[in-house]
Amino acid sequence: MHNGLNSSILRVVLCACFFTPSTNLSAENEPVKYIGPGSCAATSCHGSVKPVAGSRILQNEYSTWIIQDKHSRAYQALTGDVGERMVRILKLGMKAEETPKCLACHALYTTPEQRGRAFEISEGVSCENCHGPASAWLGSHTTRLWAHEKSVALGMQDTRNVIHRTEKCLECHLGTKNKFVDHEMIAAGHPDLYFELDSFSAVMPRHWKSPRESEPGKPVEEAAWVGVREWSAGQAVQLRASMERLTWRAKNERFDKKDVWPEYSELSCSACHHSLGPAKDSWRQEHGYVGRRPGDPAWNASRYTVFRLLAKQIDSASGQELDRQLLVVSEEMSKLNPDRSVVASAASAAEPLAQRIAERLATMQYDHAVTLRMLQRIPDDAENIALADERAAEQAAMALDSLYIAYSKDAKPANAAEVRAAINGLFQQLENPSSYNADQFASALRRIRTLLQ
């Protein structure tokens, strides 16, 4: 396996060595183009086998991506039995690895006109998926004293900005009008989508320095609080993006114009898909169906159930108005035949509120006190979170995990091992969705609250 990877690195390094600033496609009126991951792979650029001491960047970013990052194997996920079965069920008439619907998120998929050179689509989700088409800035950004802002002006995605970085991730991990996962695809075998920026970033693995270099005149943020910023701002951006998605679905603005309403992937999967047992043992029936008629599937509120606690803490006025609009969304979407206009109106009203909070979270100062308050508020709302559904419980577990990592690094609590074990126990309860029990999860959350005194 390692020999194969080394050969791949050698191939693209040789290719990259021939790309110089003189071949930049930055002429006036020339559209920026994608040139493939090989252009980043020279050992003097991002293809070093290990981090380079004293360098502003790690310089092993390409090596990390191709050897460790699952994004580099996204295309291969299409070539197996599951991918072929999906296209058969969906009657797409071609292989999964040839289908634009699949390639949109599983590869660097561009039109022929956008390709600045030949590259292998089988290389999966690569550098330019996240950093943008490189033809206009690739050569220039290697020159001495070249400012990052100049690259951004030439088409590089500003992933240093936590809001922009989250938006880029969500293009595939949530969806846009042009690429999305709907209930039809989920029924055919595609996993349901969920996301949390800090947790997902931690397992990529990271190929960037953290914290990043400070801006002139500003101190470098303590490493402990970087994850808190990514979690909090990422949550706000995710909510805003989900409201945008719900709005264009309600307005039937999908690119393929399929008039499907309600789109079931907006609802709680577990409301319908859960183990059936004796009625006397059903915690769902025991708690009832607050806010909806029994039998109607509930809206998937997981992208708001936990975040709402932070929103009210950070911006009380916007948080309360966000609550009001999301209550309308939840109540309407939890009806058998939700009114499109009501949903679109409330969801579109929620978008700028979430964005306003995101902008504040992206720039505010984080510390021990802010993080501890949030750690305590999540288990304080244990029952509401647990009853929302498994996806909301999952968001709570990821939030506590991210927040406690930061908090424990700073505070070094004596019972850190016990709290860590309790948080790990939350994830264990989520391993098998069919066995999820809201009462047990709420109880585990409350226990964590006692440990955070």
Side-chain angles (χ1 to χ4, degrees):
M1 177 178 178
H2 287 252
N3 289 336
L5 289 170
N6 289 336
S7 297
S8 179
I9 291 174
L10 178 60
R11 172 175 61 81
V12 290
V13 166
L14 291 174
C15 177
C17 289
F18 292 100
F19 192 89
T20 65
S22 63
T23 59
N24 239 340
L25 301 175
S26 57
E28 189 175 356
N29 299 324
E30 178 71 32
V32 290
K33 296 185 178 182
Y34 296 88
I35 50 184
S39 301
C40 305
T43 54
S44 60
C45 297
H46 299 286
S48 175
V49 175
K50 60 182 180 180
V52 176
S55 173
R56 182 180 60 83
I57 59 173
L58 297 173
Q59 288 191 226
N60 68 334
E61 293 85 359
Y62 175 86
S63 303
T64 299
W65 166 74
I66 198 169
I67 296 173
Q68 301 179 43
D69 196 331
K70 290 182 178 179
H71 288 95
S72 68
R73 298 185 286 281
Y75 177 88
Q76 277 66 42
L78 303 177
T79 63
D81 293 340
V82 174
E84 294 310 310
R85 186 178 65 190
M86 281 186 62
V87 296
R88 193 165 61 247
I89 293 171
L90 295 171
K91 297 180 173 60
L92 297 179
M94 61 182 74
K95 293 182 178 181
E97 61 268 30
E98 299 172 350
T99 306
K101 189 180 187 74
C102 303
L103 290 171
C105 282
H106 282 263
L108 179 56
Y109 185 66
T110 66
T111 63
E113 295 74 25
Q114 291 177 298
R115 294 193 177 197
R117 65 159 61 166
F119 58 86
E120 295 293 331
I121 199 167
S122 62
E123 289 170 312
V125 175
S126 57
C127 314
E128 291 168 292
N129 285 81
C130 300
H131 296 287
S135 66
W137 50 262
L138 181 70
S140 301
H141 93 295
T142 66
T143 59
R144 182 176 176 79
L145 301 180
W146 180 262
H148 170 69
E149 291 72 20
K150 291 183 179 180
S151 295
V152 172
L154 292 173
M156 176 187 280
Q157 291 292 326
D158 188 10
T159 56
R160 295 183 183 183
N161 182 302
V162 67
I163 292 178
H164 294 166
R165 184 162 78 251
T166 308
E167 290 171 339
K168 178 54 63 175
C169 296
L170 290 172
E171 286 182 10
C172 286
H173 287 278
L174 179 67
T176 68
K177 291 181 184 179
N178 298 319
K179 50 185 180 181
F180 52 82
V181 172
D182 56 14
H183 190 255
E184 183 180 23
M185 292 180 68
I186 295 171
H190 196 289
D192 182 25
L193 298 182
Y194 68 100
F195 183 75
E196 193 276 286
L197 179 64
D198 185 50
S199 296
F200 277 47
S201 298
V203 298
M204 277 189 60
R206 291 179 187 252
H207 55 271
W208 58 91
K209 288 187 176 181
S210 183
R212 296 192 180 280
E213 297 80 13
S214 64
E215 298 178 29
K218 293 184 179 181
V220 176
E221 183 176 34
E222 287 187 46
W225 308 123
V226 172
V228 180
R229 181 182 306 281
E230 291 185 350
W231 171 78
S232 60
Q235 288 285 294
V237 176
Q238 179 177 203
L239 176 63
R240 190 212 70 209
S242 69
M243 290 297 98
E244 290 175 352
R245 185 182 71 172
L246 187 55
T247 299
W248 56 253
R249 278 179 166 160
K251 292 181 177 180
N252 191 30
E253 294 177 349
R254 283 168 53 164
F255 83 103
D256 58 1
K257 300 299 182 184
K258 285 180 65 176
D259 190 12
V260 176
W261 184 258
E263 168 50 53
Y264 281 11
S265 62
E266 297 286 354
L267 308 179
S268 169
C269 297
S270 60
C272 297
H273 299 282
H274 60 261
S275 293
L276 299 177
K280 63 182 180 61
D281 298 329
S282 173
W283 58 264
R284 291 178 173 85
Q285 292 170 348
E286 178 66 24
H287 286 281
Y289 307 95
V290 178
R292 60 190 171 106
R293 184 180 71 95
D296 291 350
W299 175 60
N300 175 10
S302 63
R303 295 181 177 88
Y304 186 55
T305 304
V306 178
F307 173 69
R308 66 191 293 270
L309 305 174
L310 176 65
K312 290 182 177 180
Q313 177 181 336
I314 299 303
D315 187 334
S316 178
S318 294
Q320 289 181 10
E321 180 59 19
L322 196 58
D323 237 10
R324 192 176 74 82
Q325 298 297 343
L326 268 294
L327 179 61
V328 175
V329 169
S330 180
E331 289 183 344
E332 193 63 34
M333 285 298 295
S334 298
K335 295 177 181 178
L336 194 60
N337 295 297
D339 187 308
R340 287 177 182 264
S341 61
V342 172
V343 172
S345 176
S348 59
E351 289 175 31
L353 296 169
Q355 179 65 17
R356 185 184 309 162
I357 297 172
E359 291 169 357
R360 180 167 181 178
L361 291 168
T363 57
M364 68 174 278
Q365 188 72 35
Y366 292 86
D367 57 24
H368 175 109
V370 169
T371 306
L372 179 58
R373 280 199 301 273
M374 195 58 204
L375 275 169
Q376 293 172 334
R377 289 192 179 194
I378 293 173
D380 280 344
D381 200 37
E383 183 163 307
N384 287 331
I385 292 171
L387 288 174
D389 72 358
E390 288 89 331
R391 282 293 186 230
E394 187 174 56
Q395 287 291 326
M398 290 190 292
L400 289 171
D401 185 52
S402 292
L403 293 167
Y404 195 71
I405 287 172
Y407 173 76
S408 60
K409 282 181 181 178
D410 179 76
K412 296 179 174 56
N415 66 341
E418 189 176 5
V419 178
R420 180 75 266 163
I423 294 173
N424 291 342
L426 297 178
F427 287 103
Q428 292 171 5
Q429 290 196 37
L430 299 168
E431 288 178 356
N432 182 3
S434 294
S435 63
Y436 175 76
N437 184 294
D439 292 332
Q440 293 174 9
F441 191 86
S443 178
L445 277 179
R446 285 191 285 266
R447 179 173 179 272
I448 290 174
R449 180 64 174 90
T450 65
L451 296 173
L452 293 171
Q453 297 292 349

